Amino acid sequence: MATPCLRSASDAEVNTRGLGAKCRNNLEKTAWSDCLPLYENTVHRINMTVDPNKKCSQFEMQTWLSTALTNLETCKDGFQELGVGDYLLPLMNNNVSSLISNALAMNKGNKSSYNEPSYQNGFPTWVNRGDRKLLQSSSPASHANAVVAQDGSGDYKTIGSAVAAAKSGGGRYVIYVKAGTYNEHIDVKSDNIMLVGDGMGKTIITGSKSVGGGSTSFGSSTMGVTGDRFIGRGFTVRNTAGPKNHQAVALRSGSDLSVFYECSFEGYQDTLYVLSNRQFYKECNIYGTVDFIFGNAAVVLQNCNIYARDPPNKTNTLTAQGRTDPNQNTGISIHNCRVAAASSLSGVKTYLGRPWKQYSRTVYIKTYLDGIVNPAGWLPWSGSFALNTLYYGEYMNTGPGSSTANRVKWKGYHVITSATEAARFTPGNFIAGGSWLPGTGVPWTSGL
């Protein structure tokens, strides 16, 4: 079912590479340059679903096809964000999007079952024993393949140089980053990278790109991760562009089977870009203002702190999930977390989310909601857009902002009362966590 997609996507990638000369200005060229890796990754993900040498499950196929479609949407979004003509898009896309949507629908109808693997020490089994030991080690330098230190005491002085030297194809490659503030933009493209710092607020990666400054959301990230099976622990990623520069991403992740543990992501609008694939965040802090957890990954945030900062327009939205096809197995699940005000916040309306795309899907499960949450809970994007097609849910939340008595009355909003329904969005089910999380060494809870 995915073979026609692969053919069409491969042709589209070739077409896209040849369109640089047709860009009429620098902003168009900026948007086009994002599309190159996105189309390349689309071909890669579709190819993974048809690789005769590696059998994949129905769940994996749905994940990678979802990512392929998200990549094409992300390319289009860049042109819209920068306000430049999108006349190039038909030349890139031809009929790839519709072919992927058809494949998603056909694959969802495949009733082959997924057998949930066992859990080990609170982690899904896709996190292997060696990774668990590394994550829980009190002396990461002793396990590192490379050490980064600004004072010259390591193998590299910058994180980017250590990442660039990492080799794909082997086992886990561990980069230990000593305490310090690293002003650089990092793109992790290799698979199986583990980045370990000295702790939140000690190892700091910082940048300041933004849409207001001429980047796309995709291109504004201080740290971008595309290599699969990435693990990060014990560092802070910041975007300091400020609340008036619009979209300005701290972390962007499109890494499948990725884990972030004890990390902090600090920005304003669009802080944490959970772009695509399966992701898990444990005991992390996320700071922002507008749509500051957004994207179209299948992602679970567990035992995290979500802090709303003071925004320029006096309205905060915690999430903006971007599902564009009802058959994509994507969404944002916020489980056993805490939503509260950052120290700077005062008297601002804060909403749990708004629908960025047609089939936006977000749930809050057993999460503490502070009094900053507006009684309506959720905010429209524009008029009645997506209010009937989205899926927003709340289950057994606590705190002064958790009452559902005055929540929105949209068709797509649900006060979840069934444990079976809520369990669909736990790590064990939503991201098939049992097959990969135990090996990462990150403590996690499979179910409710």
Side-chain angles (χ1 to χ4, degrees):
M1 69 181 73
T3 302
C5 293
L6 180 59
R7 252 192 324 267
S8 187
S10 297
D11 290 343
E13 183 197 0
V14 172
N15 292 342
T16 301
R17 291 190 178 281
L19 292 175
K22 296 183 181 293
C23 294
R24 297 170 296 190
N25 53 55
N26 287 336
L27 289 177
E28 280 191 359
K29 185 153 281 190
T30 295
W32 165 78
S33 65
D34 283 354
C35 296
L36 296 178
L38 287 165
Y39 271 81
E40 183 179 89
N41 189 262
T42 293
V43 173
H44 172 61
R45 294 300 176 187
I46 296 173
N47 193 52
M48 290 171 71
T49 71
V50 297
D51 185 349
N53 299 314
K54 184 180 179 182
K55 185 179 179 180
C56 66
S57 68
Q58 184 261 357
F59 189 93
E60 289 172 321
M61 186 176 290
Q62 206 73 354
T63 296
W64 298 329
L65 289 172
S66 295
T67 295
L69 188 58
T70 298
N71 288 338
L72 304 184
E73 288 295 318
T74 304
C75 168
K76 182 172 68 175
D77 289 340
F79 283 91
Q80 294 172 346
E81 287 170 347
L82 296 180
V84 295
D86 59 1
Y87 78 102
L88 293 176
L89 291 175
L91 302 177
M92 297 177 185
N93 198 342
N94 50 57
N95 63 340
V96 185
S97 293
S98 59
L99 287 171
I100 296 172
S101 289
N102 290 341
L104 278 164
M106 293 172 65
N107 188 59
K108 188 175 182 180
N110 176 3
K111 299 301 182 184
S112 60
S113 61
Y114 172 77
N115 295 319
E116 183 67 23
S118 61
Y119 298 88
Q120 300 171 13
N121 299 330
F123 289 89
T125 51
W126 51 260
V127 184
N128 63 47
R129 184 174 298 140
D131 287 342
R132 289 199 300 273
K133 288 181 177 178
L134 286 172
L135 270 174
Q136 295 166 347
S137 171
S138 60
S139 55
S142 63
H143 302 282
N145 299 94
V147 177
V148 180
Q150 290 176 321
D151 62 6
S153 61
D155 304 299
Y156 302 92
K157 289 186 176 181
T158 67
I159 302 169
S161 57
V163 167
K167 296 177 176 59
S168 282
R172 177 67 63 189
Y173 191 92
V174 181
I175 300 171
Y176 165 52
V177 185
K178 290 186 177 182
T181 300
Y182 298 81
N183 193 340
E184 46 183 310
H185 290 268
I186 299 162
D187 193 2
V188 182
K189 297 179 180 179
S190 297
D191 295 342
N192 296 313
I193 300 296
M194 180 185 289
L195 192 70
V196 183
D198 274 329
M200 289 187 246
K202 295 179 180 179
T203 297
I204 301 166
I205 308 164
T206 185
S208 59
K209 291 183 180 180
S210 66
V211 170
S215 296
T216 60
S217 292
F218 181 89
S220 71
S221 58
T222 299
M223 180 177 180
V225 184
T226 54
D228 289 345
R229 295 174 296 280
F230 177 87
I231 299 177
R233 178 184 177 181
F235 53 82
T236 291
V237 185
R238 289 178 180 159
N239 190 311
T240 60
K244 295 183 179 180
N245 269 312
H246 308 293
Q247 299 95 320
V249 175
L251 173 75
R252 166 180 46 82
S253 178
S255 170
D256 197 21
L257 310 179
S258 56
V259 173
F260 294 85
Y261 178 39
E262 295 180 342
C263 292
S264 184
F265 308 105
E266 302 173 7
Y268 294 90
Q269 183 172 346
D270 290 7
T271 302
L272 177 59
Y273 194 173
V274 288
L275 174 63
S276 59
N277 287 301
R278 292 164 286 182
Q279 305 181 28
F280 182 69
Y281 294 75
K282 182 77 171 188
E283 296 177 25
C284 292
N285 295 338
I286 305 104
Y287 294 82
T289 54
V290 179
D291 305 338
F292 65 94
I293 303 171
F294 78 111
N296 197 27
V299 56
V300 177
L301 286 75
Q302 194 172 82
N303 301 105
C304 293
N305 296 307
I306 300 170
Y307 293 116
R309 290 175 137 174
D310 195 31
N313 63 356
K314 300 307 175 187
T315 300
N316 277 329
T317 43
L318 305 184
T319 67
Q321 204 281 327
R323 192 166 63 135
T324 60
D325 187 294
N327 294 311
Q328 288 178 306
N329 61 353
T330 54
I332 297 171
S333 176
I334 295 174
H335 182 214
N336 280 325
C337 292
R338 180 173 178 266
V339 172
S343 58
S344 62
L345 186 69
S346 175
V348 170
K349 295 179 180 179
T350 297
Y351 295 87
L352 300 176
R354 60 178 182 155
W356 180 31
K357 302 290 184 179
Q358 186 78 48
Y359 298 95
S360 183
R361 182 161 62 174
T362 301
V363 295
Y364 288 78
I365 298 172
K366 292 186 174 180
T367 287
Y368 177 86
L369 304 178
D370 201 354
I372 62 168
V373 176
N374 186 281
W378 305 81
L379 187 70
W381 185 272
S382 178
S384 62
F385 170 74
L387 302 188
N388 293 332
T389 51
L390 58 77
Y391 183 102
Y392 286 163
E394 297 181 57
Y395 177 75
M396 292 185 67
N397 296 315
T398 59
S402 66
S403 171
T404 58
N406 296 306
R407 290 294 198 249
V408 295
K409 306 303 181 186
W410 307 338
K411 181 180 178 181
Y413 170 71
H414 306 270
V415 177
I416 301 172
T417 57
S418 162
T420 301
E421 174 69 5
R424 290 174 52 208
F425 302 100
T426 58
N429 291 320
F430 195 51
I431 55 175
S435 65
W436 58 282
L437 277 172
T440 65
V442 177
W444 70 296
T445 302
S446 170
L448 293 173

